[in-house]
Amino acid sequence: MGRVNEKVILVTGGARGMGAAHARLLLAEGAKVVITDILHKEGEAFAAELGPSAIYVRQDVAQPEEWCQAIAAAESKFGALHGLVNNAGIASMAPIERFPLEQWEKTLAVNLTGVFLGMQTALPAMRRAGGGSIVNISSVEGLRGSPGLHAYVASKFGVRGITKSAALEAAASGVRINSIHPGLINTRMTENFDLSSFPIPLGRPAAPQEVSQAVLFLLSDESSYLTGSEIVVDGGLTIGVPQKCQAVENIF
């Protein structure tokens, strides 16, 4: 039996990157997966690759009506909704004095409003299914500041906070809500980053699948007593004062 056997789980931003890794692992562990994204061709191709236990729905997570359509598609195709992974996100960088208002508003619309709308729309469906689990993908930038990433940082702190307030309301109806805070992950978004500026104690970025393992745990019944919690998946990046890692014998 898979760890999420027969659970119906919706993954936003699921056409590629971390979202695709989450969808692939959940499917391997027995779930029925609804992949949503604005990358229509990539989403359709990925769902076809995964087979009959997956479908693709085009969705802009900042649009309330498209959330209604995505949830309806999940219930129509697979009969229920048991899990949601709010994974879709964008980022841009500029000094705060020159950060474009349009980009600020777009980032918060996708990264924070999208999470709010997802929980708002999914909760009634999960209550109909008898309970469920929501996983909100925040970031280590939801735990600390980062120069230039002002809208991203604000949105990810917001995801961290709304996870806790929503978890308080959802607990009575059997729905758990938790957040995951990835550090540097090997994806298309980070492939041009200078790794020397990330003093990661474990010495490397994470593979997307390493975040997916945390997603799987929170969606499974193994995490039945976790709600409003944060799981940090960062190789130790946020546990100390930022500095280049040294061998222990050179520190003391």
Side-chain angles (χ1 to χ4, degrees):
M1 297 287 286
R3 294 167 66 188
V4 285
N5 201 50
E6 296 303 315
K7 292 184 186 290
V8 180
I9 300 169
L10 191 153
V11 181
T12 69
R16 68 185 186 192
M18 278 205 306
H22 304 336
R24 194 181 297 279
L25 180 60
L26 293 168
L27 192 85
E29 290 289 342
K32 312 290 186 183
V33 180
V34 180
I35 300 158
T36 80
D37 211 305
I38 59 172
L39 301 173
H40 189 67
K41 289 184 179 179
E42 292 179 63
E44 282 194 326
F46 184 49
E49 175 193 334
L50 293 178
S53 291
I55 61 169
Y56 165 75
V57 177
R58 191 193 184 286
Q59 182 194 19
D60 177 347
V61 295
Q63 302 302 318
E65 66 278 5
E66 296 192 23
W67 269 108
C68 293
Q69 292 163 9
I71 301 297
E75 291 186 307
S76 174
K77 175 66 176 179
F78 297 123
L81 181 71
H82 306 101
L84 168 64
V85 184
N86 277 312
N87 171 80
I90 59 174
S92 60
M93 181 175 285
I96 195 164
E97 294 169 273
R98 299 197 298 274
F99 204 97
L101 178 59
E102 178 184 359
Q103 195 59 43
W104 169 271
E105 292 174 339
K106 181 178 180 181
T107 302
L108 266 66
V110 173
N111 294 8
L112 183 54
T113 303
V115 170
F116 161 72
L117 292 172
M119 292 191 292
Q120 188 178 65
T121 315
L123 278 168
M126 290 185 182
R127 282 195 289 269
R128 288 193 291 272
S133 175
I134 297 175
V135 180
N136 295 329
I137 306 298
S138 179
S139 169
V140 292
E141 266 67 57
L143 304 170
R144 63 176 195 177
S146 190
L149 287 172
H150 308 293
Y152 187 78
V153 168
S155 69
K156 293 303 184 179
F157 263 87
V159 168
R160 179 188 180 196
I162 198 172
T163 294
K164 297 180 186 304
S165 60
L168 287 169
E169 293 185 9
S173 56
V175 179
R176 299 179 296 104
I177 308 178
N178 297 283
S179 61
I180 293 178
H181 299 258
L184 183 63
I185 312 299
N186 262 331
T187 65
R188 194 176 303 184
M189 184 184 293
T190 62
E191 61 188 1
N192 295 320
F193 284 13
D194 177 9
L195 297 185
S196 66
S197 64
F198 293 87
I200 303 170
L202 289 185
R204 61 174 179 82
Q209 293 82 357
E210 292 177 292
V211 181
S212 301
Q213 291 290 345
V215 171
L216 172 63
F217 169 67
L218 289 176
L219 290 168
S220 76
D221 294 338
E222 297 164 16
S223 59
S224 58
Y225 203 58
L226 269 71
T227 195
S229 298
E230 304 167 3
I231 295 182
V232 182
V233 186
D234 71 349
L237 180 62
T238 59
I239 60 176
V241 176
Q243 60 181 329
K244 289 193 174 181
C245 297
Q246 304 176 53
V248 173
E249 58 269 22
N250 294 331
I251 297 175
F252 301 105

